[in-house]
Amino acid sequence: VPDAVPPALPKLPPDFLWGASTSCYQIEGAVKADGRTDSIWDVFCRQPGKIADGTNGDVACDHYNRYRDDIDLLAQGNFRAYRFSTAWPRILPQGTGAVNTAGLDFYDRLVDRLLEKGIEPFACLYHWDLPQALQQRGGWHNRDIAGWFADYAEVTVGRLGDRVKRWAMLNEPSVHAIFGHAFGNHAPGLTGWPSYVKAQHHQNLAQGTAIAALRARRNDLQLGTVFSLQPVAPATDKPEDAAAARRVDAAWNTINLDPLFKGYYPEVYAADFETVTQGDDLERIKVPVDFLGVNYYGPGYLVNAPGSVLADATWGALPPGMPVTALGWPVDPSGLVRVLARLRDSYGNPSVFVTENGACYDDPPVTEGRVSDPQRVAYLRDHLFACRQAIDQGCALRGYLVWSLLDNFEWAEGFRRRFGVVHVDFTTLVRTPKDSYRFLAEVMKPA
Ligand code: GBH
């Protein structure tokens, strides 16, 4: 995309919630500060070969110490909301029991500063950084975690809920179950289908338990959760690949959607989930939510692969001509419209925020204070047009938060893979807004 051609700007409703998303382990660093203990990611990163570039989140973007600068970037870029996650191991170093006030103080400072700058804080309670102390007690395999999580939610909301009105419980439970508990390429590195089933069910249960506990205490909060949703299609026209795609749709999407909105597990895995479901679990999971956060990156194309841990399926060839990002992920904005239409048609049209959408590209080096990222600009523009289309088609889409404000620790990929609209030099920690940041600032500019 030559610089001379300015991208068209999508028009979204005046009350649309514009923002940016981050997660604590990916940006904060300061992993030993003020009483924080290890999370499962700190421990996982120490195992040789787990992180592509051998790095970890010890320093990351040093956001813990530089949050004021980062909030200035949000304000200058016309962001009206900021989704961040709170670190369970900062707040409850042993996972349960004694509260670490110094850990909560950080989020207190962050929230106050956001409000000073007129930015709405949008908090997520769990973005994959379980306290290691709880992993030692079985982590997401132990059904007691529903109560542990609800207690952590009450402590955190108890301190910040007078100022933070929008709370997401979990980030992408199915992705945490699949990558962390079935493939094992994410923390805590557990593998196998029974492991997936337990981790998935207990996340669903924890989410419902925490929402009910918070509702019982107060009625001034918007409570919801965040799912990774992707349209899943067969990579060929073979019937066995069509069946594989249906299984992956269940294991990735409806394994979270069906129990939350309908009170049951998808038929294809109902028997597997019966082995971990007890008593009134399904009623505890089906709680009313004020919003659903949708993280959308692209569609999936699947083939049958008997024996593969994820639903006896694996990723296949993309449709010819479909563009991909630097991670090989397919780019298809129409998939976002399909995901939102599905929520409209099959799940009662809940209020939705796109809580993550963005793309990894190999950016050129900073030149004269500038980073030219035309592919990311095009990706964001096209997905914002998809948002407009979904709204025009009656979807209850209320906002869009880009992933991510900053280049950050991209999990098993380490720091090599960049999703930020702001470039971070991981040697000097200097931040440089990319062209995509300027593009968003223009789109989000108040009328
Ligand atoms: C999110 O997960 C996370 O919430 C966030 O922390 C992370 O930094 C961000 O994404 C970027 O990775 O093309 O068929 O191979 C995203 C989960 C899993 C979604 C892999 C896209 C690619 C599927 N992603 N998936 S495919």
Side-chain angles (χ1 to χ4, degrees):
V1 182
D3 279 350
V5 183
L9 297 184
K11 288 260 171 297
L12 278 299
D15 58 350
F16 201 63
L17 192 74
W18 290 107
S21 282
T22 61
S23 94
C24 54
Y25 188 71
Q26 293 179 273
I27 65 166
E28 284 179 356
V31 292
K32 301 214 187 300
D34 301 326
R36 180 188 180 277
T37 56
D38 275 348
S39 74
I40 54 176
W41 271 96
D42 298 87
V43 174
F44 187 73
C45 290
R46 285 179 208 133
Q47 295 177 42
K50 297 294 186 190
I51 310 301
D53 58 4
T55 57
N56 56 53
D58 284 4
V59 178
C61 304
D62 193 33
H63 171 78
Y64 194 80
N65 296 304
R66 294 166 197 249
Y67 68 93
R68 285 183 206 79
D69 297 344
D70 295 334
I71 293 171
D72 287 346
L73 284 166
L74 288 166
Q76 286 154 15
N78 298 327
F79 294 91
R80 284 174 227 165
Y82 176 54
R83 170 176 169 251
F84 60 97
S85 73
T86 52
W88 191 341
R90 289 195 193 283
I91 295 171
L92 292 162
Q94 296 314 312
T96 60
V99 176
N100 177 32
T101 310
L104 275 169
D105 289 345
F106 169 67
Y107 298 106
D108 207 77
R109 294 192 291 277
L110 176 79
V111 164
D112 282 346
R113 184 73 178 181
L114 285 166
L115 292 172
E116 259 171 57
K117 295 279 174 177
I119 298 163
E120 180 188 318
F122 186 151
C124 177
L125 286 162
Y126 184 72
H127 201 123
W128 305 351
D129 56 335
L130 192 74
Q132 178 65 15
L134 293 183
Q135 192 58 46
Q136 277 153 3
R137 297 162 72 183
W140 292 106
H141 285 176
N142 185 338
R143 59 180 281 124
D144 291 346
I145 200 166
W148 302 339
F149 179 72
D151 291 348
Y152 156 63
E154 288 194 63
V155 165
T156 308
V157 173
R159 177 72 187 272
L160 304 172
D162 57 332
R163 286 152 294 152
V164 181
K165 297 301 170 192
R166 225 178 284 277
W167 290 88
M169 300 299 111
L170 303 178
N171 180 70
E172 302 189 348
S174 72
V175 172
H176 193 39
I178 292 168
F179 290 93
H181 299 78
F183 287 132
N185 61 330
H186 279 190
L190 301 175
T191 54
W193 185 253
S195 167
Y196 160 84
V197 171
K198 273 183 267 179
Q200 184 59 81
H201 179 65
H202 296 145
Q203 286 184 92
N204 284 335
L205 191 62
Q207 176 186 280
T209 306
I211 289 176
L214 296 173
R215 287 247 194 264
R217 289 213 168 205
R218 48 203 300 166
N219 57 14
D220 61 333
L221 304 177
Q222 295 282 306
L223 303 176
T225 199
V226 172
F227 294 159
S228 165
L229 298 180
Q230 56 169 331
V232 178
T236 75
D237 52 19
K238 291 187 203 145
E240 62 266 34
D241 294 342
R246 284 194 294 273
R247 291 193 301 274
V248 171
D249 181 43
W252 195 294
N253 298 312
T254 55
I255 210 71
N256 290 136
L257 289 170
D258 285 359
L260 175 61
F261 290 105
K262 297 175 174 174
Y264 54 76
Y265 277 110
E267 178 64 34
V268 57
Y269 293 125
D272 293 353
F273 277 77
E274 253 168 48
T275 65
V276 291
T277 305
Q278 296 182 17
D280 63 350
D281 283 6
L282 289 170
E283 281 112 83
R284 287 171 61 191
I285 296 171
K286 184 179 180 291
V287 292
V289 285
D290 299 304
F291 67 88
L292 179 68
V294 172
N295 293 354
Y296 177 82
Y297 290 88
Y301 292 90
L302 279 296
V303 292
N304 189 41
S308 163
V309 68
L310 174 63
D312 293 300
T314 194
W315 285 273
L318 302 179
M322 183 165 282
V324 295
T325 69
L327 284 167
W329 300 0
V331 177
D332 180 8
S334 75
L336 176 55
V337 183
R338 291 200 293 283
V339 159
L340 297 173
R342 183 186 206 179
L343 295 173
R344 178 195 62 204
D345 297 339
S346 305
Y347 295 95
N349 208 15
S351 279
V352 168
F353 298 95
V354 172
T355 36
E356 288 183 24
N357 174 246
C360 170
Y361 289 107
D362 297 324
D363 297 323
V366 179
T367 321
E368 287 164 21
R370 200 181 139 195
V371 177
S372 160
D373 60 342
Q375 292 172 297
R376 189 174 291 103
V377 170
Y379 180 99
L380 299 178
R381 178 200 57 203
D382 294 348
H383 286 79
L384 287 169
F385 277 111
C387 289
R388 178 72 257 176
Q389 216 180 318
I391 294 170
D392 292 341
Q393 295 174 12
C395 300
L397 177 62
R398 308 288 185 226
Y400 174 97
L401 297 93
V402 69
W403 184 269
S404 185
L405 177 65
L406 304 171
D407 291 337
N408 60 45
F409 178 71
E410 178 50 33
W411 307 119
E413 302 285 347
F415 293 100
R416 311 175 309 169
R417 300 301 196 176
R418 295 174 180 271
F419 277 86
V421 296
V422 174
H423 174 274
V424 178
D425 178 323
F426 289 106
T427 309
T428 61
L429 296 173
V430 166
R431 280 87 161 126
T432 308
K434 303 181 190 178
D435 285 358
S436 52
Y437 168 97
R438 295 180 212 290
F439 165 72
L440 286 179
E442 192 59 30
V443 181
M444 302 184 300
K445 199 162 66 193

